[in-house]
């Protein structure tokens, strides 16, 4: 609805009051002046009548009407007053301006009637005789208690009217001037009242739009300055509160966005209210697109859907686990979810909060650990069963057959060495893992040729037995950040494999090259090689391509796993190129030290490349 501005409500009413007051004052003033003038004129006329009354009675006493006439003409002329004597019966006896014979009976004139009854009542009316407005005042003429008639004095009021008209005119002009002045003053007063209110209105409008940069001027009338102060205080408080809310909100948003856990909030109708980045990634959805939509439509996982339903229905927090292939890679993932109902300050249920953790890695680790325990048990079981079996056979009488007894004891010894080798390798593996985890492995920038030479030396006896030669190509200047003992063990393991899986008389080469920020240590053989489907698995614990051959050669299936962990502890990685029947090349990639120390793990490729 269109409302009038305050100034247009204040100003016309103020102006109306001022104009009405002015009009009333002018009217009252002029009418007072007029009545004052009239009463003054009447009093003057009465005084003049009394002045000439004595002379009139003398003339009447002598019945000298002619003399009276002459006296009236003289006196009337001098005093510009019309004088008339009227007999008690209303006849005009003498008149200063007119012939009494021509004048009609005057007993109906109000001033005459009043005078005859002993009162003096002035009368203002139009004179038919003189054709103008006259004021009449009549007094009774009495001589020794005898009423002789009435003496009337009259004066034209034209002059008075003219004088009054001039006064009226001046009053009107004065009134107009005052009215204009009053209009101006009223306008300024109305502006003075409405302007600060107008300013406050504009300020309040800016406050309502959330702009608290302005403050109202605390000036003018007390009520207005108090109002301005109150509004300013309100704005300051609102500003503070809004800023607190905004900063709390952005803090919450930052926490919400940076949480590793996926967070989803739903309303009571199971519509998604909010989902954070991690949640969107876990569920492979676009947060912008799913907001406000039912979880049944946008997240196609029945476990999660029923979890949300239960979380909304259940008063106490709940937790559960489910798996899904919702991810972008389509791989099965495991999720652990917590759900709790959300309530507002009045205790009404507004929805539910679901926090989802990706526990895929944990579950995989658990399964790896389970598999490892099973594998270790299995690996240990074979030699132990064998030792047990042969020990029993010996006790059952084979001890008495020296030849068999010797053979069995040899087998027991072999199996014990195998057990020893497995335990040794397991210990070595766990040591490397633990130390790498605790960052206890000390790396030193050393020339690697010496360490390689030492490793070759360790394997040379075994190689010579197989009539193999191990050659080394390494510039003595090449250095790398290494832990000499661990690095030597890694190379020994590779050389040991090269010897084990190559035919008699074959050649094994160790080459070192510095290339693209890496030191590459290649162990090359021309042995049996590895099929491509096995390459990705040979670094797994206890994985062997040919189990029987490995066992026969004293392998534990842990050698390459140890190599992998040692190289990782050196911030590097290991790669393999191999083709069955042609040979294999195992390459250790070690990062070249930068000036301020050794680089981190950024060069280490995905673990999948080397398996576990
Ligand atoms: P193992 O003790 O059986 O040698 P490793 O972990 O050292 O265990 O090796 C795992 C498997 O990888 C071996 O059983 C073997 O089949 C294969 N392998 C390792 N090195 C070579 C190589 N130089 N040539 C061919 N096969 C190899």
């Amino acid at each position: 609805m269109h409302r009038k501005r305050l100034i247009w409500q204040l100003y016309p009413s103020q102006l109306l009051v001022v104009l009405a007051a002015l009009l009333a004052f002018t009217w009252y003033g002029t009418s007072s002046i007029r009545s004052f003038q009239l009463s003054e004129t009447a009093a003057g006329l009465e005084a003049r009548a009394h002045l000439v009354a004595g002379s009139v009675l003398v003339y009447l006493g002598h019945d000298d009407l002619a003399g009276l006439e002459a006296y009236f003409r003289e006196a009337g002329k001098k005093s510009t007053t019309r004088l008339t004597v009227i007999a008690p019966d209303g006849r005009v006896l003498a008149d200063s301006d007119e012939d009494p014979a021509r004048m009609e009976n005057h007993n109906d004139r109000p001033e005459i009637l009043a005078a005859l009854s002993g009162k003096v009542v002035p009368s203002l009316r139009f004179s038919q005789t003189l054709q103008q407005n006259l004021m009449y005042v009549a007094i009774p003429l009495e001589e020794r208690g005898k009423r002789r008639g009435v003496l009337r004095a009259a004066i034209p009021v034209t002059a008075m009217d003219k004088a009054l008209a001039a006064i009226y005119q001046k009053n009107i002009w004065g009134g107009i001037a005052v009215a204009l002045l009053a209009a101006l003053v009223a306008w300024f007063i109305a502006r003075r009242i409405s302007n600060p209110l107008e300013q406050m209105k504009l300020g309040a409008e800016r406050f309502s739009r959330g702009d608290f940069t302005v403050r109202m001027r605390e000036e003018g009338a007390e009520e207005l300055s108090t109002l301005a102060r109150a509004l300013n205080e309100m704005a300051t408080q609102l500003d503070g509160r809004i800023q607190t809310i905004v900063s709390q909100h952005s803090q919450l948003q930052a926490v919400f966005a940076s949480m590793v856990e996926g967070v989803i909030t739903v309303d009571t109708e199971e519509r998604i209210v909010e989902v954070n980045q991690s949640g969107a990634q876990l569920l492979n959805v676009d947060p912008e697109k799913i907001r406000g939509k039912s979880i049944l439509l946008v997240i196609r996982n029945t476990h999660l859907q029923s979890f949300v339903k239960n979380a909304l229905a259940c008063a106490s927090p709940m937790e559960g686990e489910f798996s899904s292939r919702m991810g972008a890679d389509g791989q099965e993932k495991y999720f652990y979810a917590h759900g709790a109902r959300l309530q507002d300050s009045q205790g009404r249920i507004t929805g539910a909060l679901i926090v989802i953790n990706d526990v895929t890695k944990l579950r995989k680790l658990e399964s790896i650990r389970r598999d490892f325990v099973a594998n270790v048990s299995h690996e240990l079981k074979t030699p132990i069963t064998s030792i047990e079996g042969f020990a029993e056979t010996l006790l059952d009488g084979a001890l008495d057959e020296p030849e068999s007894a010797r053979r069995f004891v040899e087998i027991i010894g072999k199996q014990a060495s195998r057990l020893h080798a497995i335990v040794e390798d397991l210990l070595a593996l766990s040591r490397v893992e633990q130390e790498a985890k605790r960052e206890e492995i000390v790396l030193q920038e050393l020339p690697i040729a010496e360490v390689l030479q030492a490793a070759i030396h360790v394997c040379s006896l075994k190689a010579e037995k197989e009539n193999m030669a191990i050659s080394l190509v390494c510039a003595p200047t090449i250095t790398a950040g290494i832990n000499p003992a661990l690095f030597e063990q890694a190379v020994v393991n590779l050389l040991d494999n090269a010897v084990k899986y190559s035919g008699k008389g074959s050649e094994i080469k160790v080459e070192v090259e510095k290339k693209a920020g890496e030191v590459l240590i290649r162990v090359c053989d021309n042995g049996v090689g590895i099929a491509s489907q096995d390459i990705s698995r040979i670094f797994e614990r206890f994985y062997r391509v040919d189990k029987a051959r490995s066992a026969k050669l004293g392998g534990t299936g842990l050698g390459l796993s140890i190599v992998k962990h040692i190289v990782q502890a050196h911030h590097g990685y290991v790669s393999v190129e191999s083709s069955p029947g042609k040979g294999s090349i195992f390459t250790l990639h070690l990062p070249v030290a930068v000036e301020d120390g050794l680089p981190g793990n950024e060069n280490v490729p995905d673990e999948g490349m080397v398996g576990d």
Side-chain angles (χ1 to χ4, degrees), residues 418 425 493-502 523-531 534 537-547 549-551 553-563 576 578 583-586:
R418 185 169 160 69
D425 277 358
N493 283 9
L494 291 180
L495 286 173
D496 187 52
N497 280 351
V499 173
K500 276 195 291 186
Y501 302 107
S502 302
V523 177
C524 321
D525 66 59
N526 36 30
V528 295
I530 310 158
D534 294 315
R537 301 201 58 193
I538 52 174
F539 292 91
E540 289 175 23
R541 288 162 193 178
F542 299 114
Y543 186 81
R544 280 157 289 193
V545 177
D546 183 344
K547 235 177 166 166
R549 180 174 183 161
S550 166
L553 297 169
T556 60
L558 293 168
L560 286 181
S561 194
I562 293 169
V563 172
V576 195
S578 183
S584 317
I585 303 171
F586 284 78

Side-chain angles (χ1 to χ4, degrees), residues 334 358-366:
Y334 297 90
D358 184 353
V359 290
T360 314
K361 255 190 182 165
L362 205 70
R363 293 288 167 270
K364 278 194 177 153
L365 275 178
E366 277 171 8

Side-chain angles (χ1 to χ4, degrees), residues 447-587:
I448 56 173
E450 284 172 29
V451 187
L452 294 175
Q453 200 62 63
I456 292 170
H457 184 71
V458 172
C459 300
S460 58
L461 201 69
K462 205 171 178 184
E464 275 164 21
K465 266 191 197 166
E466 299 294 325
N467 201 19
M468 292 176 191
I470 305 174
S471 63
L472 171 68
V473 182
C474 175
T477 50
I478 297 179
T479 61
I482 51 168
N483 177 298
L486 288 178
F487 183 66
E488 188 186 316
Q489 184 173 357
V491 180
V492 166
N493 283 9
L494 291 180
L495 286 173
D496 187 52
N497 280 351
V499 173
K500 276 195 291 186
Y501 302 107
S502 302
K504 273 186 195 294
S506 64
E507 199 190 336
I508 298 165
K509 280 191 280 184
V510 180
E511 296 167 355
V512 181
E513 189 191 354
K514 203 169 181 179
K515 192 172 146 190
E518 283 183 329
V519 176
L520 308 175
I521 301 110
R522 295 195 191 89
V523 177
C524 321
D525 66 59
N526 36 30
V528 295
I530 310 158
S532 57
Q533 72 270 16
D534 294 315
I535 284 182
S536 60
R537 301 201 58 193
I538 52 174
F539 292 91
E540 289 175 23
R541 288 162 193 178
F542 299 114
Y543 186 81
R544 280 157 289 193
V545 177
D546 183 344
K547 235 177 166 166
R549 180 174 183 161
S550 166
K552 202 174 138 204
L553 297 169
T556 60
L558 293 168
L560 286 181
S561 194
I562 293 169
V563 172
K564 186 189 102 176
H565 281 91
I566 290 175
V567 182
Q568 280 180 355
H570 283 76
H571 311 296
Y573 63 97
V574 53
S575 64
V576 195
E577 291 163 58
S578 183
S579 49
K582 288 194 178 152
S584 317
I585 303 171
F586 284 78
T587 310

Side-chain angles (χ1 to χ4, degrees), residues 166-408:
I167 290 173
Y168 287 160
Q169 209 174 24
K170 275 184 194 163
N171 271 2
I172 287 167
W173 282 117
I176 290 172
V178 171
L180 284 175
L181 196 70
L184 210 65
V185 171
W187 173 256
F188 279 113
I189 290 173
R191 284 282 303 264
R192 252 181 94 91
I193 296 172
S194 72
N195 257 7
L197 284 171
E198 190 87 5
Q199 292 303 317
M200 272 184 216
K201 183 195 90 172
L202 294 175
E205 277 172 0
R206 288 179 77 164
F207 291 166
S208 72
R209 286 196 300 270
D211 175 6
F212 296 106
T213 53
V214 282
R215 285 290 177 274
M216 292 169 193
R217 283 207 291 268
E218 294 170 17
E219 57 187 21
E222 195 208 328
E223 291 87 344
L224 291 178
S225 65
T226 311
L227 180 62
R229 200 174 316 124
L231 281 171
N232 284 343
E233 271 170 26
M234 185 190 79
T236 312
Q237 286 195 6
L238 266 179
D239 194 19
R241 281 183 198 177
I242 288 175
Q243 291 210 355
T244 311
I245 291 170
V246 167
S247 80
Q248 280 176 350
H249 184 253
S250 52
Q251 273 174 16
L252 273 178
Q253 277 294 317
V255 171
F256 191 61
S258 54
M259 272 175 82
V260 184
E261 293 85 0
V263 182
I264 306 170
T265 50
V266 292
D267 63 13
T268 47
E269 304 296 315
E270 295 176 33
R271 280 186 300 252
I272 292 172
V273 178
E274 202 58 75
V275 57
N276 71 349
Q277 204 53 44
S278 305
Q281 268 169 12
L282 290 181
L283 304 172
N284 192 26
V285 288
D286 181 349
E288 300 304 324
K289 285 190 186 154
I290 63 166
R291 241 171 242 140
K293 292 189 182 154
S294 168
I295 199 158
L296 299 173
L297 296 174
V298 290
I299 295 174
R300 300 199 179 275
N301 184 298
T302 48
H303 301 290
L304 182 58
Q305 287 168 5
S306 57
F307 184 80
V308 170
K309 201 182 268 299
N310 292 340
L312 275 169
C314 188
S316 52
M318 51 182 294
E319 44 195 69
E321 196 170 332
F322 60 93
S323 65
S324 151
R325 288 184 191 276
M326 288 180 293
D329 50 8
Q331 298 231 337
E332 178 148 54
K333 285 194 166 181
Y334 297 90
F335 298 107
Y336 197 77
H338 290 263
R341 276 206 308 220
L342 293 171
Q343 293 182 348
D344 64 10
S345 51
Q346 268 96 50
R348 282 186 304 243
I349 308 231
T350 55
L353 174 78
I354 314 292
V355 179
I356 304 173
N357 286 284
D358 184 353
V359 290
T360 314
K361 255 190 182 165
L362 205 70
R363 293 288 167 270
K364 278 194 177 153
L365 275 178
E366 277 171 8
S367 118
I368 288 170
R369 220 163 284 271
R370 266 198 308 274
D371 291 350
F372 179 66
V373 172
N375 285 340
V376 171
S377 317
H378 183 75
E379 291 296 327
L380 295 178
K381 207 175 147 192
T382 320
I384 289 171
T385 317
S386 167
I387 290 170
E388 242 184 351
F390 284 108
E392 275 172 20
T393 318
L394 281 172
L395 287 175
D396 286 348
L399 264 179
D400 303 330
E401 300 161 32
E403 218 164 282
S404 309
R406 186 179 173 78
R407 201 160 52 85
F408 292 165

